[in-house]
Short mmCIF file of all heavy atoms in Angstrom, two decimals:
data_model
loop_
_atom_site.label_atom_id
_atom_site.label_comp_id
_atom_site.label_asym_id
_atom_site.label_seq_id
_atom_site.Cartn_x
_atom_site.Cartn_y
_atom_site.Cartn_z
N MET A 1135 37.85 -30.07 -3.83
CA MET A 1135 36.42 -30.14 -3.53
C MET A 1135 36.09 -29.34 -2.27
O MET A 1135 35.08 -28.68 -2.21
CB MET A 1135 36.03 -31.62 -3.36
CG MET A 1135 34.56 -31.84 -3.37
SD MET A 1135 33.90 -31.48 -5.01
CE MET A 1135 32.24 -31.97 -4.77
N SER A 1136 36.98 -29.40 -1.27
CA SER A 1136 36.73 -28.68 -0.03
C SER A 1136 36.81 -27.17 -0.26
O SER A 1136 36.15 -26.39 0.44
CB SER A 1136 37.72 -29.09 1.05
OG SER A 1136 39.03 -28.67 0.69
N PHE A 1137 37.59 -26.76 -1.26
CA PHE A 1137 37.70 -25.33 -1.59
C PHE A 1137 36.34 -24.78 -2.04
O PHE A 1137 35.91 -23.71 -1.62
CB PHE A 1137 38.75 -25.13 -2.70
CG PHE A 1137 38.78 -23.73 -3.25
CD1 PHE A 1137 39.32 -22.69 -2.50
CD2 PHE A 1137 38.25 -23.44 -4.50
CE1 PHE A 1137 39.35 -21.40 -2.99
CE2 PHE A 1137 38.27 -22.15 -5.00
CZ PHE A 1137 38.82 -21.13 -4.24
N ILE A 1138 35.65 -25.55 -2.88
CA ILE A 1138 34.33 -25.12 -3.38
C ILE A 1138 33.31 -25.08 -2.25
O ILE A 1138 32.54 -24.12 -2.12
CB ILE A 1138 33.85 -26.06 -4.51
CG1 ILE A 1138 34.76 -25.91 -5.72
CG2 ILE A 1138 32.41 -25.75 -4.91
CD1 ILE A 1138 34.54 -26.93 -6.81
N SER A 1139 33.33 -26.10 -1.40
CA SER A 1139 32.37 -26.13 -0.29
C SER A 1139 32.64 -24.99 0.70
O SER A 1139 31.70 -24.39 1.23
CB SER A 1139 32.39 -27.48 0.42
OG SER A 1139 33.66 -27.71 1.00
N ASP A 1140 33.93 -24.67 0.93
CA ASP A 1140 34.28 -23.54 1.81
C ASP A 1140 33.80 -22.22 1.21
O ASP A 1140 33.30 -21.34 1.91
CB ASP A 1140 35.79 -23.48 2.05
CG ASP A 1140 36.28 -24.60 2.96
OD1 ASP A 1140 35.44 -25.20 3.67
OD2 ASP A 1140 37.50 -24.86 2.96
N LEU A 1141 33.96 -22.10 -0.10
CA LEU A 1141 33.54 -20.89 -0.80
C LEU A 1141 32.02 -20.70 -0.70
O LEU A 1141 31.52 -19.62 -0.36
CB LEU A 1141 33.96 -20.95 -2.27
CG LEU A 1141 33.59 -19.75 -3.13
CD1 LEU A 1141 34.48 -18.57 -2.77
CD2 LEU A 1141 33.73 -20.07 -4.60
N VAL A 1142 31.29 -21.78 -0.99
CA VAL A 1142 29.83 -21.73 -0.92
C VAL A 1142 29.38 -21.43 0.51
O VAL A 1142 28.48 -20.61 0.73
CB VAL A 1142 29.21 -23.06 -1.42
CG1 VAL A 1142 27.71 -23.12 -1.14
CG2 VAL A 1142 29.48 -23.24 -2.91
N GLU A 1143 30.01 -22.06 1.48
CA GLU A 1143 29.67 -21.85 2.88
C GLU A 1143 29.90 -20.39 3.28
O GLU A 1143 29.08 -19.78 3.97
CB GLU A 1143 30.52 -22.76 3.77
CG GLU A 1143 30.09 -22.79 5.22
CD GLU A 1143 30.95 -23.73 6.05
OE1 GLU A 1143 31.41 -24.76 5.51
OE2 GLU A 1143 31.16 -23.41 7.23
N GLY A 1144 31.01 -19.82 2.82
CA GLY A 1144 31.32 -18.42 3.13
C GLY A 1144 30.30 -17.47 2.52
O GLY A 1144 29.86 -16.50 3.18
N VAL A 1145 29.90 -17.73 1.29
CA VAL A 1145 28.92 -16.87 0.61
C VAL A 1145 27.57 -16.95 1.30
O VAL A 1145 26.93 -15.93 1.56
CB VAL A 1145 28.80 -17.26 -0.89
CG1 VAL A 1145 27.64 -16.55 -1.54
CG2 VAL A 1145 30.09 -16.94 -1.62
N VAL A 1146 27.14 -18.17 1.61
CA VAL A 1146 25.85 -18.35 2.27
C VAL A 1146 25.86 -17.70 3.65
O VAL A 1146 24.90 -17.03 4.04
CB VAL A 1146 25.50 -19.86 2.38
CG1 VAL A 1146 24.30 -20.09 3.28
CG2 VAL A 1146 25.24 -20.43 1.00
N ASP A 1147 26.94 -17.88 4.38
CA ASP A 1147 27.06 -17.31 5.72
C ASP A 1147 27.01 -15.78 5.65
O ASP A 1147 26.30 -15.13 6.44
CB ASP A 1147 28.38 -17.76 6.36
CG ASP A 1147 28.44 -17.45 7.84
OD1 ASP A 1147 27.43 -17.71 8.53
OD2 ASP A 1147 29.48 -16.94 8.30
N GLY A 1148 27.69 -15.20 4.69
CA GLY A 1148 27.69 -13.75 4.52
C GLY A 1148 26.31 -13.23 4.15
O GLY A 1148 25.87 -12.19 4.67
N ALA A 1149 25.64 -13.95 3.28
CA ALA A 1149 24.29 -13.53 2.86
C ALA A 1149 23.31 -13.59 4.02
O ALA A 1149 22.50 -12.69 4.21
CB ALA A 1149 23.81 -14.41 1.71
N LEU A 1150 23.38 -14.65 4.82
CA LEU A 1150 22.49 -14.79 5.97
C LEU A 1150 22.74 -13.69 7.00
O LEU A 1150 21.79 -13.12 7.55
CB LEU A 1150 22.66 -16.16 6.63
CG LEU A 1150 22.04 -17.35 5.89
CD1 LEU A 1150 22.44 -18.66 6.55
CD2 LEU A 1150 20.52 -17.22 5.87
N LYS A 1151 24.00 -13.39 7.25
CA LYS A 1151 24.32 -12.33 8.20
C LYS A 1151 23.79 -10.99 7.71
O LYS A 1151 23.26 -10.19 8.48
CB LYS A 1151 25.84 -12.24 8.41
CG LYS A 1151 26.38 -13.27 9.37
CD LYS A 1151 27.85 -13.10 9.58
CE LYS A 1151 28.41 -14.18 10.49
NZ LYS A 1151 29.87 -14.12 10.60
N ASP A 1152 23.90 -10.75 6.41
CA ASP A 1152 23.43 -9.50 5.82
C ASP A 1152 21.92 -9.37 5.95
O ASP A 1152 21.38 -8.32 6.31
CB ASP A 1152 23.84 -9.45 4.35
CG ASP A 1152 23.67 -8.06 3.76
OD1 ASP A 1152 23.96 -7.08 4.46
OD2 ASP A 1152 23.23 -7.97 2.58
N ILE A 1153 21.22 -10.47 5.68
CA ILE A 1153 19.74 -10.48 5.79
C ILE A 1153 19.31 -10.24 7.23
O ILE A 1153 18.42 -9.46 7.50
CB ILE A 1153 19.16 -11.81 5.25
CG1 ILE A 1153 19.33 -11.88 3.73
CG2 ILE A 1153 17.69 -11.96 5.61
CD1 ILE A 1153 19.09 -13.26 3.15
N LEU A 1154 19.96 -10.92 8.17
CA LEU A 1154 19.61 -10.77 9.57
C LEU A 1154 19.89 -9.35 10.07
O LEU A 1154 19.13 -8.80 10.86
CB LEU A 1154 20.38 -11.78 10.43
CG LEU A 1154 19.91 -13.23 10.33
CD1 LEU A 1154 20.89 -14.14 11.05
CD2 LEU A 1154 18.52 -13.37 10.92
N LYS A 1155 20.97 -8.77 9.58
CA LYS A 1155 21.32 -7.41 9.98
C LYS A 1155 20.26 -6.41 9.50
O LYS A 1155 19.90 -5.47 10.18
CB LYS A 1155 22.69 -7.05 9.41
CG LYS A 1155 23.25 -5.76 9.96
CD LYS A 1155 24.71 -5.54 9.62
CE LYS A 1155 25.06 -5.87 8.20
NZ LYS A 1155 26.42 -5.48 7.84
N LYS A 1156 19.73 -6.65 8.30
CA LYS A 1156 18.73 -5.74 7.73
C LYS A 1156 17.38 -5.86 8.44
O LYS A 1156 16.70 -4.88 8.64
CB LYS A 1156 18.54 -6.03 6.24
CG LYS A 1156 19.65 -5.47 5.38
CD LYS A 1156 19.40 -5.74 3.93
CE LYS A 1156 20.57 -5.26 3.09
NZ LYS A 1156 20.41 -5.61 1.69
N THR A 1157 17.00 -7.07 8.81
CA THR A 1157 15.67 -7.26 9.40
C THR A 1157 15.60 -6.86 10.86
O THR A 1157 14.52 -6.59 11.37
CB THR A 1157 15.21 -8.73 9.28
OG1 THR A 1157 16.20 -9.56 9.87
CG2 THR A 1157 14.99 -9.12 7.84
N THR A 1158 16.73 -6.81 11.54
CA THR A 1158 16.70 -6.46 12.97
C THR A 1158 17.04 -5.00 13.18
O THR A 1158 17.85 -4.64 14.02
CB THR A 1158 17.68 -7.36 13.77
OG1 THR A 1158 18.98 -7.21 13.20
CG2 THR A 1158 17.26 -8.79 13.77
N GLY A 1159 16.41 -4.12 12.43
CA GLY A 1159 16.62 -2.69 12.58
C GLY A 1159 15.94 -2.19 13.83
O GLY A 1159 14.90 -2.69 14.25
N THR A 1160 16.53 -1.18 14.47
CA THR A 1160 15.97 -0.66 15.71
C THR A 1160 15.21 0.65 15.50
O THR A 1160 14.81 1.28 16.46
CB THR A 1160 17.09 -0.43 16.75
OG1 THR A 1160 18.07 0.44 16.19
CG2 THR A 1160 17.72 -1.75 17.15
N SER A 1161 15.06 1.07 14.26
CA SER A 1161 14.39 2.34 14.02
C SER A 1161 12.89 2.20 14.24
O SER A 1161 12.28 1.23 13.81
CB SER A 1161 14.65 2.83 12.60
OG SER A 1161 14.09 1.94 11.68
N LYS A 1162 12.32 3.19 14.92
CA LYS A 1162 10.89 3.18 15.18
C LYS A 1162 10.26 4.34 14.43
O LYS A 1162 10.78 5.45 14.46
CB LYS A 1162 10.59 3.32 16.67
CG LYS A 1162 10.85 2.06 17.45
CD LYS A 1162 10.36 2.22 18.87
CE LYS A 1162 10.55 0.94 19.65
NZ LYS A 1162 10.09 1.08 21.02
N ARG A 1163 9.15 4.08 13.79
CA ARG A 1163 8.45 5.15 13.09
C ARG A 1163 7.63 5.96 14.09
O ARG A 1163 7.05 5.41 15.01
CB ARG A 1163 7.53 4.58 12.02
CG ARG A 1163 8.31 3.90 10.90
CD ARG A 1163 7.40 3.55 9.78
NE ARG A 1163 7.18 4.73 8.96
CZ ARG A 1163 6.39 4.75 7.91
NH1 ARG A 1163 5.72 3.68 7.58
NH2 ARG A 1163 6.24 5.83 7.20
N THR A 1164 7.58 7.24 13.87
CA THR A 1164 6.79 8.08 14.78
C THR A 1164 5.31 7.90 14.49
O THR A 1164 4.90 7.79 13.34
CB THR A 1164 7.16 9.58 14.61
OG1 THR A 1164 6.98 9.94 13.25
CG2 THR A 1164 8.58 9.84 15.04
N ARG A 1165 4.53 7.90 15.54
CA ARG A 1165 3.09 7.74 15.38
C ARG A 1165 2.48 9.09 15.05
O ARG A 1165 2.86 10.12 15.63
CB ARG A 1165 2.46 7.22 16.66
CG ARG A 1165 2.60 5.74 16.82
CD ARG A 1165 1.75 5.28 17.99
NE ARG A 1165 1.81 3.84 18.12
CZ ARG A 1165 1.22 3.18 19.07
NH1 ARG A 1165 0.54 3.81 20.00
NH2 ARG A 1165 1.32 1.86 19.13
N ARG A 1166 1.52 9.06 14.17
CA ARG A 1166 0.82 10.30 13.84
C ARG A 1166 -0.50 10.34 14.59
O ARG A 1166 -1.21 9.35 14.67
CB ARG A 1166 0.54 10.36 12.33
CG ARG A 1166 1.78 10.63 11.54
CD ARG A 1166 1.42 10.93 10.11
NE ARG A 1166 2.62 11.20 9.35
CZ ARG A 1166 2.61 11.47 8.06
NH1 ARG A 1166 1.48 11.48 7.40
NH2 ARG A 1166 3.74 11.72 7.42
N ARG A 1167 -0.80 11.50 15.10
CA ARG A 1167 -2.07 11.67 15.83
C ARG A 1167 -3.19 11.82 14.83
O ARG A 1167 -3.04 12.46 13.81
CB ARG A 1167 -2.02 12.92 16.68
CG ARG A 1167 -1.41 12.69 18.02
CD ARG A 1167 -1.77 13.85 18.92
NE ARG A 1167 -0.99 13.77 20.15
CZ ARG A 1167 -0.65 14.82 20.86
NH1 ARG A 1167 -0.98 16.02 20.46
NH2 ARG A 1167 0.03 14.68 21.96
N LYS A 1168 -4.32 11.24 15.18
CA LYS A 1168 -5.51 11.42 14.36
C LYS A 1168 -6.07 12.79 14.64
O LYS A 1168 -6.23 13.18 15.79
CB LYS A 1168 -6.56 10.35 14.68
CG LYS A 1168 -6.22 9.00 14.12
CD LYS A 1168 -7.35 8.04 14.36
CE LYS A 1168 -7.05 6.68 13.79
NZ LYS A 1168 -8.11 5.72 14.07
N ARG A 1169 -6.34 13.52 13.56
CA ARG A 1169 -6.90 14.84 13.73
C ARG A 1169 -8.40 14.74 13.99
O ARG A 1169 -9.11 14.09 13.23
CB ARG A 1169 -6.67 15.67 12.46
CG ARG A 1169 -5.87 16.91 12.75
CD ARG A 1169 -5.72 17.78 11.57
NE ARG A 1169 -5.79 17.09 10.28
CZ ARG A 1169 -5.34 17.59 9.16
NH1 ARG A 1169 -4.80 18.78 9.15
NH2 ARG A 1169 -5.44 16.94 8.03
N THR A 1170 -8.85 15.35 15.04
CA THR A 1170 -10.28 15.31 15.34
C THR A 1170 -10.99 16.36 14.50
O THR A 1170 -10.54 17.51 14.45
CB THR A 1170 -10.55 15.56 16.83
OG1 THR A 1170 -9.96 16.80 17.19
CG2 THR A 1170 -10.02 14.44 17.69
N THR A 1171 -12.06 15.96 13.86
CA THR A 1171 -12.82 16.90 13.04
C THR A 1171 -13.76 17.70 13.92
O THR A 1171 -14.30 17.19 14.91
CB THR A 1171 -13.64 16.17 11.96
OG1 THR A 1171 -14.45 15.21 12.60
CG2 THR A 1171 -12.74 15.50 10.94
N SER A 1172 -13.91 18.94 13.57
CA SER A 1172 -14.81 19.79 14.36
C SER A 1172 -16.25 19.31 14.17
O SER A 1172 -16.59 18.70 13.16
CB SER A 1172 -14.67 21.25 13.93
OG SER A 1172 -15.05 21.40 12.59
N THR A 1173 -17.08 19.63 15.12
CA THR A 1173 -18.47 19.14 15.09
C THR A 1173 -19.23 19.69 13.90
O THR A 1173 -20.04 19.00 13.30
CB THR A 1173 -19.21 19.50 16.39
OG1 THR A 1173 -19.06 20.90 16.61
CG2 THR A 1173 -18.67 18.73 17.57
N SER A 1174 -18.92 20.95 13.53
CA SER A 1174 -19.65 21.55 12.40
C SER A 1174 -19.30 20.86 11.09
O SER A 1174 -20.19 20.58 10.27
CB SER A 1174 -19.33 23.04 12.29
OG SER A 1174 -17.94 23.23 12.11
N SER A 1175 -18.02 20.54 10.89
CA SER A 1175 -17.63 19.86 9.65
C SER A 1175 -18.14 18.42 9.63
O SER A 1175 -18.47 17.87 8.58
CB SER A 1175 -16.12 19.88 9.47
OG SER A 1175 -15.48 19.15 10.48
N ALA A 1176 -18.22 17.81 10.82
CA ALA A 1176 -18.72 16.43 10.89
C ALA A 1176 -20.20 16.38 10.54
O ALA A 1176 -20.64 15.50 9.79
CB ALA A 1176 -18.50 15.87 12.29
N THR A 1177 -20.96 17.32 11.06
CA THR A 1177 -22.40 17.34 10.74
C THR A 1177 -22.63 17.67 9.28
O THR A 1177 -23.51 17.12 8.64
CB THR A 1177 -23.16 18.34 11.63
OG1 THR A 1177 -22.49 19.59 11.59
CG2 THR A 1177 -23.29 17.87 13.06
N LEU A 1178 -21.79 18.57 8.74
CA LEU A 1178 -21.90 18.94 7.33
C LEU A 1178 -21.64 17.72 6.45
O LEU A 1178 -22.35 17.49 5.47
CB LEU A 1178 -20.91 20.06 7.01
CG LEU A 1178 -20.99 20.64 5.62
CD1 LEU A 1178 -22.30 21.41 5.44
CD2 LEU A 1178 -19.82 21.57 5.35
N ARG A 1179 -20.64 16.94 6.83
CA ARG A 1179 -20.32 15.72 6.07
C ARG A 1179 -21.47 14.73 6.09
O ARG A 1179 -21.79 14.09 5.09
CB ARG A 1179 -19.06 15.07 6.62
CG ARG A 1179 -18.58 13.91 5.77
CD ARG A 1179 -17.27 13.32 6.23
NE ARG A 1179 -16.18 14.24 5.96
CZ ARG A 1179 -15.28 14.65 6.86
NH1 ARG A 1179 -15.37 14.24 8.11
NH2 ARG A 1179 -14.32 15.47 6.54
N GLN A 1180 -22.11 14.59 7.23
CA GLN A 1180 -23.25 13.68 7.35
C GLN A 1180 -24.42 14.13 6.48
O GLN A 1180 -25.07 13.31 5.84
CB GLN A 1180 -23.69 13.59 8.81
CG GLN A 1180 -22.77 12.74 9.65
CD GLN A 1180 -23.19 12.71 11.10
OE1 GLN A 1180 -23.92 13.59 11.57
NE2 GLN A 1180 -22.74 11.70 11.83
N ILE A 1181 -24.64 15.44 6.44
CA ILE A 1181 -25.72 15.98 5.61
C ILE A 1181 -25.43 15.73 4.13
O ILE A 1181 -26.31 15.32 3.38
CB ILE A 1181 -25.92 17.49 5.89
CG1 ILE A 1181 -26.45 17.69 7.31
CG2 ILE A 1181 -26.85 18.12 4.86
CD1 ILE A 1181 -26.37 19.11 7.82
N GLU A 1182 -24.17 15.97 3.73
CA GLU A 1182 -23.77 15.73 2.34
C GLU A 1182 -23.94 14.27 1.96
O GLU A 1182 -24.33 13.95 0.84
CB GLU A 1182 -22.33 16.17 2.12
CG GLU A 1182 -22.17 17.68 2.05
CD GLU A 1182 -20.71 18.10 1.97
OE1 GLU A 1182 -19.83 17.29 2.32
OE2 GLU A 1182 -20.47 19.25 1.57
N LYS A 1183 -23.63 13.40 2.89
CA LYS A 1183 -23.79 11.97 2.64
C LYS A 1183 -25.23 11.59 2.37
O LYS A 1183 -25.52 10.76 1.51
CB LYS A 1183 -23.28 11.19 3.86
CG LYS A 1183 -22.38 10.01 3.52
CD LYS A 1183 -22.02 9.26 4.77
CE LYS A 1183 -20.53 9.14 4.90
NZ LYS A 1183 -20.14 8.35 6.06
N LEU A 1184 -26.13 12.20 3.11
CA LEU A 1184 -27.56 11.92 2.93
C LEU A 1184 -28.07 12.47 1.60
O LEU A 1184 -28.89 11.85 0.93
CB LEU A 1184 -28.37 12.54 4.07
CG LEU A 1184 -28.21 11.89 5.44
CD1 LEU A 1184 -28.85 12.75 6.51
CD2 LEU A 1184 -28.80 10.49 5.45
N LEU A 1185 -27.58 13.65 1.22
CA LEU A 1185 -28.04 14.28 -0.02
C LEU A 1185 -27.51 13.57 -1.26
O LEU A 1185 -28.19 13.48 -2.27
CB LEU A 1185 -27.60 15.75 -0.06
CG LEU A 1185 -28.26 16.66 0.97
CD1 LEU A 1185 -27.62 18.03 0.92
CD2 LEU A 1185 -29.76 16.76 0.73
N ARG A 1186 -26.27 13.08 -1.16
CA ARG A 1186 -25.66 12.42 -2.31
C ARG A 1186 -25.45 10.94 -1.98
O ARG A 1186 -24.45 10.57 -1.35
CB ARG A 1186 -24.30 13.06 -2.60
CG ARG A 1186 -23.99 13.22 -4.05
CD ARG A 1186 -22.70 13.96 -4.25
NE ARG A 1186 -22.25 14.62 -3.01
CZ ARG A 1186 -20.99 14.82 -2.68
NH1 ARG A 1186 -20.03 14.44 -3.48
NH2 ARG A 1186 -20.66 15.40 -1.55
N PRO A 1187 -26.36 10.07 -2.37
CA PRO A 1187 -26.20 8.65 -2.04
C PRO A 1187 -25.00 8.03 -2.78
O PRO A 1187 -24.57 8.54 -3.81
CB PRO A 1187 -27.51 8.02 -2.50
CG PRO A 1187 -28.06 8.96 -3.49
CD PRO A 1187 -27.56 10.32 -3.14
N ALA A 1188 -24.50 6.95 -2.24
CA ALA A 1188 -23.34 6.28 -2.81
C ALA A 1188 -23.65 5.72 -4.18
O ALA A 1188 -24.78 5.29 -4.45
CB ALA A 1188 -22.89 5.16 -1.88
N LYS A 1189 -22.64 5.75 -5.05
CA LYS A 1189 -22.84 5.22 -6.40
C LYS A 1189 -22.96 3.70 -6.35
O LYS A 1189 -22.34 3.05 -5.51
CB LYS A 1189 -21.65 5.57 -7.29
CG LYS A 1189 -21.62 6.99 -7.75
CD LYS A 1189 -20.48 7.18 -8.71
CE LYS A 1189 -20.48 8.56 -9.32
NZ LYS A 1189 -19.36 8.73 -10.23
N LYS A 1190 -23.72 3.16 -7.25
CA LYS A 1190 -23.87 1.72 -7.34
C LYS A 1190 -22.58 1.15 -7.92
O LYS A 1190 -22.01 1.72 -8.85
CB LYS A 1190 -25.06 1.38 -8.24
CG LYS A 1190 -25.48 -0.05 -8.15
CD LYS A 1190 -26.69 -0.32 -9.02
CE LYS A 1190 -27.05 -1.79 -8.94
NZ LYS A 1190 -28.07 -2.13 -9.91
N GLN A 1191 -22.15 0.05 -7.39
CA GLN A 1191 -20.89 -0.53 -7.84
C GLN A 1191 -21.01 -1.08 -9.26
O GLN A 1191 -21.94 -1.81 -9.57
CB GLN A 1191 -20.48 -1.66 -6.90
CG GLN A 1191 -19.10 -2.19 -7.18
CD GLN A 1191 -18.69 -3.24 -6.17
OE1 GLN A 1191 -19.42 -3.50 -5.23
NE2 GLN A 1191 -17.54 -3.82 -6.36
N THR A 1192 -20.05 -0.69 -10.10
CA THR A 1192 -20.04 -1.20 -11.47
C THR A 1192 -19.31 -2.53 -11.50
O THR A 1192 -18.56 -2.85 -10.58
CB THR A 1192 -19.34 -0.22 -12.43
OG1 THR A 1192 -18.03 0.04 -11.92
CG2 THR A 1192 -20.11 1.07 -12.58
N SER A 1193 -19.50 -3.24 -12.55
CA SER A 1193 -18.88 -4.56 -12.64
C SER A 1193 -17.37 -4.42 -12.80
O SER A 1193 -16.87 -3.42 -13.31
CB SER A 1193 -19.44 -5.33 -13.84
OG SER A 1193 -19.02 -4.72 -15.05
N ARG A 1194 -16.64 -5.43 -12.37
CA ARG A 1194 -15.18 -5.44 -12.46
C ARG A 1194 -14.74 -5.34 -13.90
O ARG A 1194 -13.78 -4.64 -14.23
CB ARG A 1194 -14.68 -6.72 -11.81
CG ARG A 1194 -13.19 -6.83 -11.75
CD ARG A 1194 -12.81 -8.22 -11.27
NE ARG A 1194 -11.39 -8.43 -11.42
CZ ARG A 1194 -10.52 -8.33 -10.42
NH1 ARG A 1194 -10.94 -8.02 -9.22
NH2 ARG A 1194 -9.24 -8.54 -10.60
N LYS A 1195 -15.45 -6.04 -14.78
CA LYS A 1195 -15.12 -6.04 -16.20
C LYS A 1195 -15.16 -4.62 -16.77
O LYS A 1195 -14.25 -4.19 -17.49
CB LYS A 1195 -16.13 -6.93 -16.93
CG LYS A 1195 -15.82 -7.21 -18.38
CD LYS A 1195 -16.87 -8.17 -18.92
CE LYS A 1195 -16.66 -8.50 -20.37
NZ LYS A 1195 -17.70 -9.41 -20.87
N ARG A 1196 -16.21 -3.89 -16.41
CA ARG A 1196 -16.38 -2.53 -16.90
C ARG A 1196 -15.29 -1.60 -16.35
O ARG A 1196 -14.77 -0.75 -17.07
CB ARG A 1196 -17.75 -2.03 -16.49
CG ARG A 1196 -18.15 -0.76 -17.15
CD ARG A 1196 -19.59 -0.48 -16.88
NE ARG A 1196 -20.04 0.69 -17.59
CZ ARG A 1196 -21.28 1.10 -17.65
NH1 ARG A 1196 -22.22 0.41 -17.04
NH2 ARG A 1196 -21.61 2.18 -18.31
N THR A 1197 -14.98 -1.78 -15.09
CA THR A 1197 -13.95 -0.94 -14.46
C THR A 1197 -12.59 -1.16 -15.10
O THR A 1197 -11.88 -0.21 -15.39
CB THR A 1197 -13.85 -1.27 -12.95
OG1 THR A 1197 -15.16 -1.25 -12.39
CG2 THR A 1197 -12.98 -0.30 -12.22
N VAL A 1198 -12.24 -2.41 -15.34
CA VAL A 1198 -10.96 -2.74 -15.95
C VAL A 1198 -10.87 -2.14 -17.35
O VAL A 1198 -9.84 -1.60 -17.74
CB VAL A 1198 -10.74 -4.27 -15.97
CG1 VAL A 1198 -9.54 -4.65 -16.81
CG2 VAL A 1198 -10.57 -4.80 -14.57
N ARG A 1199 -11.95 -2.22 -18.09
CA ARG A 1199 -11.97 -1.64 -19.44
C ARG A 1199 -11.76 -0.14 -19.41
O ARG A 1199 -11.02 0.41 -20.21
CB ARG A 1199 -13.29 -1.95 -20.12
CG ARG A 1199 -13.31 -3.27 -20.82
CD ARG A 1199 -14.57 -3.40 -21.65
NE ARG A 1199 -14.75 -4.75 -22.12
CZ ARG A 1199 -15.91 -5.28 -22.47
NH1 ARG A 1199 -16.99 -4.56 -22.40
NH2 ARG A 1199 -15.99 -6.51 -22.90
N SER A 1200 -12.45 0.52 -18.49
CA SER A 1200 -12.36 1.98 -18.43
C SER A 1200 -10.99 2.47 -18.00
O SER A 1200 -10.60 3.59 -18.30
CB SER A 1200 -13.43 2.55 -17.51
OG SER A 1200 -13.18 2.15 -16.19
N ARG A 1201 -10.23 1.63 -17.31
CA ARG A 1201 -8.90 2.03 -16.85
C ARG A 1201 -7.79 1.50 -17.76
O ARG A 1201 -6.61 1.63 -17.42
CB ARG A 1201 -8.66 1.50 -15.44
CG ARG A 1201 -9.51 2.17 -14.42
CD ARG A 1201 -9.23 1.61 -13.06
NE ARG A 1201 -10.18 2.11 -12.09
CZ ARG A 1201 -10.35 1.58 -10.89
NH1 ARG A 1201 -9.66 0.55 -10.52
NH2 ARG A 1201 -11.22 2.10 -10.06
N SER A 1202 -8.15 0.91 -18.88
CA SER A 1202 -7.13 0.32 -19.75
C SER A 1202 -6.21 1.39 -20.34
O SER A 1202 -6.56 2.55 -20.46
CB SER A 1202 -7.78 -0.48 -20.88
OG SER A 1202 -8.38 0.41 -21.79
N LYS A 1203 -4.99 0.96 -20.74
CA LYS A 1203 -4.00 1.89 -21.28
C LYS A 1203 -4.50 2.55 -22.55
O LYS A 1203 -4.26 3.73 -22.79
CB LYS A 1203 -2.70 1.16 -21.58
CG LYS A 1203 -1.69 1.25 -20.48
CD LYS A 1203 -0.36 0.74 -20.91
CE LYS A 1203 0.67 0.95 -19.83
NZ LYS A 1203 1.96 0.39 -20.17
N VAL A 1204 -5.19 1.79 -23.38
CA VAL A 1204 -5.69 2.32 -24.65
C VAL A 1204 -6.64 3.48 -24.39
O VAL A 1204 -6.59 4.52 -25.05
CB VAL A 1204 -6.40 1.20 -25.45
CG1 VAL A 1204 -6.96 1.74 -26.75
CG2 VAL A 1204 -5.44 0.06 -25.74
N ARG A 1205 -7.53 3.31 -23.40
CA ARG A 1205 -8.48 4.37 -23.07
C ARG A 1205 -7.77 5.61 -22.52
O ARG A 1205 -8.15 6.75 -22.79
CB ARG A 1205 -9.48 3.88 -22.03
CG ARG A 1205 -10.55 2.98 -22.60
CD ARG A 1205 -11.65 3.84 -23.24
NE ARG A 1205 -12.63 3.02 -23.94
CZ ARG A 1205 -13.74 2.58 -23.38
NH1 ARG A 1205 -14.02 2.87 -22.14
NH2 ARG A 1205 -14.60 1.85 -24.07
N ARG A 1206 -6.71 5.38 -21.72
CA ARG A 1206 -6.02 6.51 -21.11
C ARG A 1206 -5.25 7.32 -22.14
O ARG A 1206 -4.99 8.50 -21.95
CB ARG A 1206 -5.07 6.02 -20.01
CG ARG A 1206 -5.81 5.72 -18.73
CD ARG A 1206 -4.87 5.37 -17.64
NE ARG A 1206 -4.51 3.96 -17.74
CZ ARG A 1206 -3.39 3.45 -17.28
NH1 ARG A 1206 -2.50 4.21 -16.71
NH2 ARG A 1206 -3.13 2.16 -17.39
N ARG A 1207 -4.82 6.70 -23.22
CA ARG A 1207 -4.07 7.40 -24.26
C ARG A 1207 -4.92 8.40 -25.01
O ARG A 1207 -4.45 9.43 -25.45
CB ARG A 1207 -3.49 6.39 -25.25
CG ARG A 1207 -2.23 5.75 -24.76
CD ARG A 1207 -1.54 5.00 -25.87
NE ARG A 1207 -0.84 3.85 -25.30
CZ ARG A 1207 -1.01 2.60 -25.65
NH1 ARG A 1207 -1.87 2.28 -26.59
NH2 ARG A 1207 -0.33 1.65 -25.07
N THR A 1208 -6.20 8.06 -25.22
CA THR A 1208 -7.06 8.95 -26.02
C THR A 1208 -7.51 10.17 -25.27
O THR A 1208 -7.45 10.27 -24.09
CB THR A 1208 -8.31 8.19 -26.52
OG1 THR A 1208 -9.01 7.65 -25.38
CG2 THR A 1208 -7.94 7.09 -27.47
#
């Protein structure tokens, strides 16, 4: 009986050590700088926004239907 409990204890201990080793990584992701848009492109975007108003939101039911696999096949 002690053999089984030792075996289970060893497996659990190994799994916990493995999980802890994976979660305590020291790698840091590099930060990306936000690109500043030029004033001319920013004003152009604002003008386009005014000329083309946002579309009215369609119902969820309709959206799901339009994206269905059957529709995409045709």
